């Protein structure tokens, strides 16, 4: 209800307050609130972010109360007392209390209690939903999958609210017709006052009739706002005419004036006492009632008329100034609130605009937005013109954020489902290998599957443990079988080790010169027929074997080389008798052979550089190195033969 500063006329009997959207009658406007302010503000929605992606519970639109009445954001004593009245009650008790109010009280008189019941009920309801949400999340549920449990008490409460609003709508629809009817009644009373002044009836009967008309005027309800001022001026005019023109008994008149004087003194004292009222809004509304009573009180003696009026007007002016200052302060606070809410809107919009690609980023941003929402709830109303706009802006930013979050988690869920399918396929592949006896291949395949498992992304928490245990069980079963298998062959490896050590001793003691290469080949065959040895001794035994074989080949090659040189010496002696020309031809042949062997050696060494870049080429490289070693030995033997020819040629020249 918007209230302007009262305009107080000089006339004592026609005291008025110019009131917007209210009645100056002795009856208060049904449905009005004692918290109405000079600057009405659009009521803020109780939960400005209630439906923003699983954050709070909405209050159903069907149970909002008095949405056509403007409220300020101060807490009135009457509303506070109404809330205290229902504090501590259960939801069922609150529903029963609402039903009792609707059944027993006039609908225009229960608005504050209805609102208090709504607030108390949804305070309990929100606490229950938050507790259920917390329990759901602690059990491993996803926040976006949470659904508030159905509350039968809430459904019953909504039905009671529908009945309340139906009765209230009927009341409001009948109110305007009632005002028009009241206007007709009061116009009729004024006409009776006119006739009363000109009546020829006895004095006592006329005065009693006047009192009856006054009482009927008081008992008649409110009239349309547009007619209030003129109606009161006309009524007061004819009341004065009655007192001024009717020939009333002076003692009775003096007694009536004295009674009116005492009533107006009391009204002045009550108005002055309101200056000490803690609530400025309450004091203002009580002043309105005092002005109604002042207007209803008859005239006083002329000598007291202006004095009493000035006293009453002075107290009224001071209360009005306090009231005006109070709402000017509210306006300033609302401007500050607008600035604060604008900053929160910008913060929410900036948060919404940030690119987020991980659940950690989204969770951090969600916590930040929830903090912003909590801060929003602590800030009062903005000015009426901007209040709805700033709220819509904030709500839009929150909705956009939580919609983007919902889409993100929807994509994450799709990806997790795909990852679960991949991991189930890996489980099936591992289970197909867990009974394999091809230890080398199965081991390599399982290691490859484990590597692929690490590359696959996460899956839903509901399935992650189960699918991991399934995969782990398949791998563990194979490697346990493998361990058991190779534990059984350890003894066989020890026997093979002893056989190979004995063979090495036999090879070291063998007379290679007598048996030649056939002895070495026999040793190599016997070595290959012996199986594996323990892995820890494998390299050492192989190294000893290679050393012994090399030694045998070296010894054999040395003896062969000596025999070859001796045979060549005999050949040179035979060539000596054939002449120097034959020696030169033999030398040329040997020289060409050396060059050919050197080219073959260079080619093989170049191949080693090429094969060293390939994987699994160690055996081939070792074979090439052996060939190169043989070529070097053959080159050395050939060079030595050339030197023998050169020595013989030099001897012939001498």
């Amino acid at each position: 209800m918007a209230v302007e500063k009262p305009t107080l006329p000089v006339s004592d009997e026609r005291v008025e307050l110019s009131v917007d959207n209210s009645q100056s009658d002795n009856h208060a406007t049904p449905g009005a609130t004692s918290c109405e302010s000079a600057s009405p503000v659009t009521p803020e929605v109780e939960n400005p972010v209630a439906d923003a992606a699983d954050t709070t519970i909405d209050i159903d639109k069907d149970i909002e109360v008095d949405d056509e009445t403007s409220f300020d954001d101060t807490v009135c004593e009457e509303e506070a007392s109404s809330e205290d009245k229902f504090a501590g009650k259960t939801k069922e008790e609150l529903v029963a209390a609402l039903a009792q109010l609707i059944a027993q009280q006039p609908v225009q008189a229960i608005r504050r209690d209805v609102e208090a019941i709504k607030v108390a009920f949804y305070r309990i309801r929100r606490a229950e939903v938050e507790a259920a949400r917390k329990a759901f999340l602690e059990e491993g549920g996803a926040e976006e999958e949470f659904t508030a449990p159905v509350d039968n008490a809430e459904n019953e409460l909504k039905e009671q609210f529908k009945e309340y609003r139906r009765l209230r709508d009927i009341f409001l629809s009948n109110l305007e017709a009632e005002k028009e009817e009241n206007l007709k009644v009061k116009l009729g009373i004024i006409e009776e006052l006119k006739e009363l002044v000109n009546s020829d009836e006895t004095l006592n009967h006329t005065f009693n009739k006047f009192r009856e008309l006054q009482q009927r005027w008081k008992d008649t309800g409110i009239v349309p706002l547009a007619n209030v001022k003129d109606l009161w001026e006309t009524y007061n005019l004819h009341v004065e005419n009655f007192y001024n023109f009717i020939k009333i008994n002076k003692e009775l008149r003096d007694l009536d004036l004295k009674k009116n004087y005492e009533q107006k003194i009391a009204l002045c004292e009550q108005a002055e006492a309101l200056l000490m009222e803690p609530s400025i809004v309450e004091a203002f509304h009580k002043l309105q009632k005092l002005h109604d009573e002042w207007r209803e009180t008859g005239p006083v003696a002329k000598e007291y008329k202006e004095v009493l009026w000035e006293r009453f007007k002075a107290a009224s002016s001071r209360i009005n100034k306090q009231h005006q200052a109070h709402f000017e302060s509210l306006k300033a606070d609302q401007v500050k609130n607008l600035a604060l809410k604008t900053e929160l809107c910008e913060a929410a919009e900036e948060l919404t605009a940030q690119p987020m690609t991980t659940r950690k980023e989204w969770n951090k941003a969600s916590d930040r937005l929830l903090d912003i929402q909590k801060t929003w709830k602590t800030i009062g109303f903005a000015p009426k013109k901007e209040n709805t706009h700033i709220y819509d802006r904030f709500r839009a930013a929150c909705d956009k954020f939580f919609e983007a979050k919902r889409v993100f988690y929807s994509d994450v869920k799709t990806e997790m489902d795909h990852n679960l399918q991949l991991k189930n396929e890996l489980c099936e592949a591992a289970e197909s290998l867990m009974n394999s006896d091809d230890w080398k291949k199965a081991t390599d395949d399982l290691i490859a599957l484990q590597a692929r498992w690490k590359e696959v992304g996460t899956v839903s928490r509901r399935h992650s443990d189960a699918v991991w245990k399934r995969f782990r069980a398949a791998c563990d079963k194979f490697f346990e079988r493998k361990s058991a298998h190779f534990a059984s062959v350890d003894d066989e490896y020890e026997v093979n080790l002893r056989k190979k050590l004995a063979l090495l001793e036999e090879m070291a003691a063998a007379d290679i010169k007598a048996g030649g290469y056939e002895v070495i080949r026999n040793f190599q065959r016997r070595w290959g027929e012996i199986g594996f040895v323990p892995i820890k001794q494998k390299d050492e035994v192989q190294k000893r074997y290679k050393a012994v074989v090399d030694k045998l080949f070296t010894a054999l090659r040395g003896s062969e080389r000596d025999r070859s040189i001796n045979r060549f010496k005999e050949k040179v002696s035979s060539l000596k008798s054939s002449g120097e020309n034959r020696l030169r031809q033999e030398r040329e042949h040997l020289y060409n052979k050396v060059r050919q062997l050197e080219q073959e050696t260079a080619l093989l060494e170049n191949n080693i550089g090429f094969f060293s870049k390939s994987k699994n080429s160690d055996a081939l490289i070792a074979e090439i190195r052996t060939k190169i070693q043989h070529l070097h030995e053959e080159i050395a033997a050939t060079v030595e033969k050339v030197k023998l020819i050169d020595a013989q040629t030099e001897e012939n020249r001498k």
Side-chain angles (χ1 to χ4, degrees):
M1 180 187 299
V3 180
E4 297 179 354
K5 182 175 180 181
T7 303
L8 300 172
V10 176
S11 173
D12 179 16
E13 287 77 16
R14 290 182 290 166
V15 179
E16 300 172 304
L17 273 176
S18 177
V19 182
D20 288 341
N21 298 330
S22 68
Q23 293 295 333
S24 298
D25 226 350
N26 58 321
H27 294 278
T29 303
T33 173
S34 60
C35 289
E36 293 164 336
S37 67
S39 298
V41 283
T42 302
E44 185 112 12
V45 177
E46 274 203 26
N47 275 318
V49 289
D51 57 346
D54 305 331
T55 58
T56 56
I57 180 172
D58 260 327
I59 295 178
D60 195 287
K61 301 299 182 184
D62 293 335
I63 59 174
E64 291 186 4
V65 181
D66 288 345
D67 50 352
E68 72 277 23
T69 305
S70 299
F71 299 91
D72 62 27
D73 53 347
T74 61
V75 178
C76 303
E77 290 79 4
E78 293 183 6
E79 290 180 343
S81 65
S82 294
E83 291 182 5
D84 293 340
K85 185 190 304 183
F86 299 102
K89 290 185 179 296
T90 64
K91 294 185 297 181
E92 291 71 16
E93 291 173 341
L94 292 172
V95 173
L98 178 58
Q100 185 177 6
L101 278 176
I102 295 173
Q104 299 179 1
Q105 298 293 331
V107 69
Q108 67 271 23
I110 62 174
R111 185 195 60 79
R112 295 186 185 89
D113 287 344
V114 170
E115 283 197 13
I117 288 173
K118 178 193 71 175
V119 172
F121 183 94
Y122 276 95
R123 185 179 293 117
I124 298 172
R125 174 63 174 153
R126 288 193 191 93
E128 291 176 349
V129 172
E130 286 305 314
R133 185 196 306 277
K134 183 177 180 181
F136 181 80
L137 295 179
E138 289 176 352
E139 292 174 1
E143 182 174 358
E144 64 273 10
E145 297 177 357
F146 174 75
T147 303
V150 177
D151 190 346
N152 293 330
E154 183 181 15
N155 294 333
E156 187 175 353
L157 182 76
K158 292 178 180 179
E159 292 300 320
Q160 294 292 341
F161 265 94
K162 288 181 180 178
E163 178 62 14
Y164 166 78
R165 292 185 66 86
R166 185 186 69 81
L167 294 175
R168 189 174 180 279
D169 290 341
I170 293 173
F171 169 78
L172 292 176
S173 65
N174 294 332
L175 187 58
E176 290 302 319
E178 182 182 344
K179 290 180 182 179
E180 292 294 336
E181 186 63 29
N182 292 340
L183 176 61
K184 294 178 182 179
V185 173
K186 288 194 172 184
L187 289 174
I189 293 173
I190 291 174
E191 291 300 319
E192 291 184 54
L193 278 175
K194 291 180 183 179
E195 295 175 2
L196 193 63
V197 172
N198 300 320
S199 175
D200 294 330
E201 295 179 353
T202 62
L203 193 61
N204 287 338
H205 182 273
T206 303
F207 193 81
N208 290 336
K209 180 66 174 179
F210 172 74
R211 288 302 185 195
E212 180 189 345
L213 292 175
Q214 281 186 316
Q215 187 61 43
R216 284 170 57 195
W217 181 276
K218 292 180 181 180
D219 294 341
T220 305
I222 57 178
V223 300
L225 181 63
N227 304 104
V228 171
K229 182 176 178 62
D230 291 340
L231 190 66
W232 268 105
E233 288 179 351
T234 305
Y235 173 77
N236 285 327
L237 174 63
H238 290 288
V239 169
E240 285 186 11
N241 288 340
F242 176 83
Y243 278 100
N244 291 332
F245 297 109
I246 195 170
K247 295 178 180 180
I248 189 172
N249 183 286
K250 188 174 185 307
E251 291 182 2
L252 188 58
R253 175 181 172 83
D254 290 344
L255 182 62
D256 193 53
L257 293 176
K258 181 181 178 182
K259 181 182 177 181
N260 294 340
Y261 173 79
E262 292 173 352
Q263 290 180 357
K264 290 195 173 183
I265 286 290
L267 291 174
C268 288
E269 292 173 350
Q270 292 178 47
E272 291 165 348
L274 289 178
L275 293 171
M276 305 302 295
E277 172 67 40
S279 172
I280 296 174
V281 175
E282 184 68 16
F284 179 80
H285 287 290
K286 288 181 179 179
L287 180 63
Q288 311 309 304
K289 296 179 181 180
L290 294 181
H291 274 272
D292 290 340
E293 293 182 34
W294 184 279
R295 286 194 296 269
E296 299 296 336
T297 305
V300 298
K302 290 184 179 180
E303 61 268 26
Y304 302 119
K305 179 178 179 179
E306 292 299 329
V307 175
L308 286 177
W309 172 243
E310 289 298 330
R311 179 180 176 183
F312 186 70
K313 183 174 71 172
S316 299
S317 297
R318 292 179 63 184
I319 293 172
N320 286 329
K321 288 180 180 179
Q322 291 178 354
H323 187 257
Q324 189 68 25
H326 169 71
F327 283 104
E328 289 297 332
S329 175
L330 285 182
K331 289 180 181 178
D333 290 340
Q334 289 172 354
V335 171
K336 293 180 182 178
N337 293 341
L338 177 61
L340 294 174
K341 288 190 172 183
T342 300
E343 292 178 1
L344 293 181
C345 287
E346 293 172 352
E349 290 165 351
E350 180 181 355
L351 197 63
T352 302
Q354 291 180 0
M356 288 168 281
T357 57
T358 65
R359 284 183 290 176
K360 182 177 180 181
E361 292 176 347
W362 275 108
N363 290 336
K364 183 177 179 181
S366 296
D367 292 340
R368 170 61 181 149
L369 187 58
L370 292 178
D371 289 340
I372 292 174
Q373 291 178 342
K374 290 178 182 178
T375 303
W376 178 280
K377 293 180 181 179
T378 63
I379 300 173
F381 290 90
K384 180 178 180 180
K385 292 182 179 179
E386 291 86 5
N387 192 62
T388 301
H389 171 71
I390 195 68
Y391 168 71
D392 289 342
R393 178 182 175 185
F394 183 70
R395 178 66 175 270
C398 293
D399 289 348
K400 184 177 180 182
F401 175 86
F402 285 110
E403 175 61 21
K405 181 180 178 182
R406 185 194 65 77
V407 172
F408 170 79
Y409 276 99
S410 176
D411 294 340
V412 169
K413 184 178 183 302
T414 301
E415 181 181 354
M416 285 184 174
D417 291 342
H418 178 65
N419 293 340
L420 177 61
Q421 180 181 356
L422 293 178
K423 288 194 173 183
N424 282 327
E425 292 175 357
L426 292 177
C427 289
E428 294 172 359
E431 288 165 352
S432 68
L433 293 171
M434 65 183 181
N435 295 317
S436 174
D437 293 332
D438 189 348
W439 307 112
K440 179 64 171 66
K441 184 178 184 304
T443 299
D444 293 341
D445 290 345
L446 280 174
I447 292 174
L449 291 177
Q450 290 173 343
R452 287 175 57 193
W453 182 279
K454 293 179 180 179
E455 295 173 357
V456 177
T458 58
V459 300
S460 174
R461 190 180 300 175
R462 291 184 299 172
H463 305 291
S464 60
D465 289 343
V467 72
W468 165 244
K469 289 178 180 178
R470 178 185 175 186
F471 181 74
R472 179 66 179 270
C475 294
D476 288 348
K477 181 177 180 180
F478 171 80
F479 287 109
E480 287 171 1
R481 290 180 58 251
K482 180 180 178 181
S483 297
H485 169 77
F486 284 101
S488 65
V489 300
D490 284 346
D491 295 340
E492 180 183 348
Y493 288 174
E494 290 292 339
V495 173
N496 294 338
L497 175 63
R498 289 192 292 271
K499 288 181 179 180
K500 287 192 174 183
L501 291 176
L503 182 59
L504 289 174
E505 293 177 358
E506 182 182 348
M507 291 171 66
D511 183 5
I512 194 63
K513 293 181 179 180
Y517 286 106
E518 186 62 29
V519 174
I520 296 177
R521 283 192 290 272
N522 184 51
F523 283 142
Q524 289 176 330
R525 178 185 57 76
R526 289 171 59 191
W527 182 271
E529 291 174 351
I530 300 174
F532 295 105
V533 300
I535 190 67
K536 293 181 180 180
Q537 286 84 24
K538 175 183 176 182
D539 292 340
E540 180 182 355
V541 171
Q542 191 66 24
K543 183 178 180 181
R544 288 182 59 186
Y545 170 73
K546 185 176 183 303
V548 171
V549 171
D550 289 344
K551 184 176 180 182
L552 290 175
F553 274 109
T554 301
L556 184 58
R557 290 191 190 102
S559 61
E560 287 290 334
R561 181 171 173 276
D562 292 341
R563 286 194 294 271
S564 177
I565 291 298
N566 290 331
R567 286 195 299 271
F568 187 74
K569 286 180 179 180
E570 293 176 358
K571 182 178 180 179
V572 170
S573 298
S574 64
L575 292 175
K576 176 181 177 183
S577 59
S578 299
E580 187 174 339
N581 199 26
R582 289 292 306 276
L583 287 174
R584 187 165 52 253
Q585 291 177 355
E586 184 65 22
R587 185 182 185 285
E588 187 68 23
H589 169 72
L590 293 174
Y591 181 77
N592 291 334
K593 183 178 181 181
V594 168
R595 294 187 63 182
Q596 182 181 357
L597 292 173
E598 287 178 345
Q599 289 176 358
E600 291 180 10
T601 302
L603 178 60
L604 291 175
E605 288 177 346
N606 183 59
N607 289 340
I608 288 178
F610 175 76
F611 288 120
S612 63
K613 297 178 182 179
S614 303
K615 295 181 179 179
N616 304 321
S617 59
D618 293 344
L620 181 60
I621 292 175
E623 181 180 351
I624 294 175
R625 290 189 184 280
T626 301
K627 290 182 179 180
I628 292 174
Q629 179 65 29
H630 292 166
L631 289 173
H632 282 303
E633 292 174 357
E634 189 173 355
I635 290 172
T638 305
V639 169
E640 187 173 355
K641 290 178 180 181
V642 171
K643 291 180 179 179
L644 287 173
I645 293 175
D646 290 342
Q648 186 62 51
T649 302
E650 184 65 27
E651 182 180 347
N652 291 339
R653 288 177 181 175
K654 291 181 179 180

